[in-house]
Amino acid sequence: NKKIGGILIESTKNKQATAVIIGIGINIANDNKKQKLKTPYTCLDDISTHATDPCELIANIVNNIDQGLTLFEQDGLKAFTDMWNQYDHSLNQEITVATNQTEMHGINRGINQNGELILSVNNNKKIYIHSGKIEKTAPSTPTIDALNHAKDD
């Protein structure tokens, strides 16, 4: 498993509206230096049999985001939780979550309709995490930057 990109989503909500900022980074081509990073990484050019057209890739991403935002406006996050949990490579596996306050170990039980990671800890107690850094317990597995603030069940 190697990291090919990342997504950062931040949102804020007031009485009138919700604002969302979405940042997406995708490794299309690696530099020749092969930097030594903690997380193993790759790029599209290394794993694809044909050259990646950045303009076509961006157009596809923007179109999919537009469709996703329309669905989100209609149904909220519940429209995506099943699909998220289907593709979550660390679902039902032991993970470590580092937040600003602490580091927690437990079993990843997916996300809820609020977008919070559900971490099962001692005696199946559930902790809901808004943001922080998630790592699989296995040392060879890449990390996912996602989370950082926790609240108890």
Side-chain angles (χ1 to χ4, degrees):
N1 289 333
K2 294 182 180 179
K3 184 174 181 176
I4 198 162
I7 301 171
L8 176 65
I9 301 173
E10 293 189 27
S11 65
T12 183
K13 187 175 186 176
N14 63 31
K15 293 178 183 177
Q16 298 165 351
T18 299
V20 178
I21 300 169
I22 303 170
I24 300 172
I26 300 173
N27 301 336
I28 295 175
N30 283 329
D31 61 20
N32 294 330
K33 298 175 188 172
K34 290 289 183 186
Q35 299 175 19
K36 293 182 181 179
L37 301 175
K38 182 180 177 183
T39 303
Y41 66 95
T42 189
C43 69
L44 291 175
D45 286 350
D46 286 351
I47 63 172
S48 179
T49 58
H50 64 280
T52 303
D53 178 352
C55 293
E56 183 180 333
L57 178 64
I58 291 168
N60 286 332
I61 290 170
V62 169
N63 286 334
N64 280 288
I65 289 173
D66 186 50
Q67 292 171 8
L69 290 174
T70 300
L71 186 57
F72 182 80
E73 286 175 344
Q74 295 168 355
D75 299 331
L77 190 60
K78 71 179 181 178
F80 300 94
T81 53
D82 288 342
M83 183 171 40
W84 176 276
N85 291 328
Q86 177 185 350
Y87 289 103
D88 184 350
H89 72 279
S90 64
L91 184 66
N92 296 319
Q93 295 184 32
E94 204 171 321
I95 60 172
T96 299
V97 181
T99 70
N100 287 337
Q101 295 107 10
T102 188
E103 189 172 272
M104 295 172 277
H105 306 278
I107 305 296
N108 171 8
R109 298 298 185 200
I111 63 169
N112 63 20
Q113 292 182 5
N114 295 320
E116 299 163 321
L117 174 74
I118 305 166
L119 187 68
S120 180
V121 294
N122 303 337
N123 299 322
N124 285 329
K125 178 182 177 184
K126 292 179 182 172
I127 297 176
Y128 300 92
I129 304 171
H130 299 291
S131 64
K133 185 170 184 172
I134 301 173
E135 292 186 19
K136 273 190 172 180
T137 301
S140 64
T141 306
T143 61
I144 303 170
D145 291 328
L147 303 166
N148 173 15
H149 175 55
K151 70 179 183 182
D152 284 337
D153 191 12

